[in-house]
Structure formats: structure tokens, C-alpha cells
Amino acid sequence: MPGESDCAREAIHLSGAIQPHGYLVCCSYPDWRVRHASANIEALFDLPAEALIGQDLRDFVSQDVTDPVSALVGLLEPGDSPQRAAAANIGVTAQPCDIGVHRSDDLLHLEIESRAPGG
């Protein structure tokens, strides 16, 4: 079927898009310097993505996020699927979120997904 083959070839990891209930932050490790952030990150940190670039992510998230991610880093291989690392309250409104992480291109990619109320 043409639709299936089109989907199989779709490079969604290159699209720059992220689901509306999620956020993406990519940082170098172990210095936690933000290298990339999804455009919608402002809703979480009350700071535009451009202003987050170059900042230490530890200034914006607690050790409830960084400690479990650090513990998982040694087990991650570049290209592996994202692994659930933590659940924490994140951002200016302490939004409950799940955090997944994977390594690629010498960066840690933190996928932050808001939990639905009661979820």
C-alpha cells in the first residue's frame, strides 16, 4: 500500500515537531548545557526556547530529574529507544511530568511528557 510505505520512510525524528502534550530538551552531558529545545518549552519554563539555549538545565529542573537521568546515562547506547527515567513536577507551575531519555549525536534528549490530570 502506498500509504504504508510513505509512513515507513517518513523521518519523523527530523521533522522538528513534537506532540502538543510533550516537550523536548537536548543537552550535552555531564555539563547539562541545553543545546536544543522544542518551541513549546516556554509553556513549561516560562522562557522562550532561544533563551534556554546554553543554559544549565539544572537551573530549571530539580535533582528529581537529573539524578535518575544521570544514573541511566551509562546504560544508554546511542540510537537506543527512549527509556523512562523519572517522574517529577517540572516548570513554573510544577506540572507533573514523565521524563524519557535517549542518547544521539553526543547529546542527551529528554522527552518531557505532561501527565493528564489524574494520570
Side-chain angles (χ1 to χ4, degrees), residues 69 72 76 81-83 85 99-103 108-111:
V69 169
L72 190 58
L76 298 173
S81 297
Q83 300 295 312
I99 298 94
V101 64
H102 68 280
R103 289 178 49 197
L108 288 181
H109 302 273
L110 281 75
E111 298 177 3

Side-chain angles (χ1 to χ4, degrees), residues 94-117:
Q95 188 169 346
C97 296
D98 289 316
I99 298 94
V101 64
H102 68 280
R103 289 178 49 197
S104 177
D105 300 328
D106 298 324
L107 295 174
L108 288 181
H109 302 273
L110 281 75
E111 298 177 3
I112 304 167
E113 187 174 331
S114 297
R115 289 185 178 177

Side-chain angles (χ1 to χ4, degrees), residues 25-28 31-37 47-60:
V25 176
C26 306
C27 58
S28 52
D31 67 1
W32 294 98
R33 292 285 165 205
V34 176
R35 301 297 178 214
H36 307 282
L47 188 69
E50 300 81 27
L52 195 61
I53 305 302
Q55 300 294 320
D56 187 325
L57 185 61
R58 294 171 292 191
D59 292 339
F60 300 92

Side-chain angles (χ1 to χ4, degrees), residues 7-28:
C7 289
R9 289 191 310 265
E10 184 70 30
I12 60 171
H13 65 287
L14 300 177
S15 71
I18 190 161
Q19 294 188 30
H21 62 278
Y23 310 91
L24 179 67
V25 176
C26 306
C27 58
S28 52

